[in-house]
Amino acid sequence: MPPAKKQQTTRSPGFDPRQSVEVLTVAWMLSVATTLICEIIAVGVGLYIKQFDPGTAGFLVLCNFLWFAALVIGTLSLVLMAATIRLRSTRPPPGVLAVAALAGVVPWIVVIYQSLP
């Protein structure tokens, strides 16, 4: 009797949990970077309005829109940060976590401060 042929196990090129965690980490870092960029530009536009042209409505709308964008994306980055910490086998460095948490919380503080009378 001829020897039995070994069946080759083929992997489907679909789901890989390690790769999905890396995609989640990249999405988290991109959201943190986008939040920081929105915050920095909003602060710059706000300083420009106060220093040079306090009556410009267009720049004020831009500043408020950037803070709103930072608020939405920052909230998303906090959710992604929690998911990334939970799913990764190694935790991100504490400095990265601190900057990411601060970037996600700052827009909430600014919006609450601006809404006070």
Side-chain angles (χ1 to χ4, degrees):
M1 215 155 107
K5 291 185 178 180
K6 291 184 181 179
Q7 288 184 344
Q8 290 183 343
T9 57
T10 58
R11 269 192 160 165
S12 64
F15 180 73
D16 182 15
R18 289 171 290 160
Q19 187 177 11
S20 62
V21 172
E22 294 302 319
V23 169
L24 181 68
T25 304
V26 169
W28 169 50
M29 286 283 91
L30 285 174
S31 67
V32 169
T34 304
T35 303
L36 285 171
I37 289 169
C38 286
E39 290 172 359
I40 290 169
I41 294 174
V43 166
V45 170
L47 290 175
Y48 174 79
I49 291 170
K50 286 185 179 183
Q51 194 72 18
F52 298 111
D53 200 7
T56 305
F59 281 130
L60 186 60
V61 169
L62 175 65
C63 184
N64 289 334
F65 176 75
L66 286 170
W67 280 119
F68 176 73
L71 179 80
V72 171
I73 300 168
T75 303
L76 176 68
S77 74
L78 291 174
V79 171
L80 289 173
M81 180 174 71
T84 302
I85 291 171
R86 185 176 181 144
L87 295 176
R88 280 182 64 96
S89 58
T90 58
R91 284 182 60 109
V96 172
L97 291 175
V99 169
L102 188 63
V105 171
V106 164
W108 282 100
I109 294 170
V110 169
V111 168
I112 290 170
Y113 178 75
Q114 286 180 346
S115 66
L116 295 176

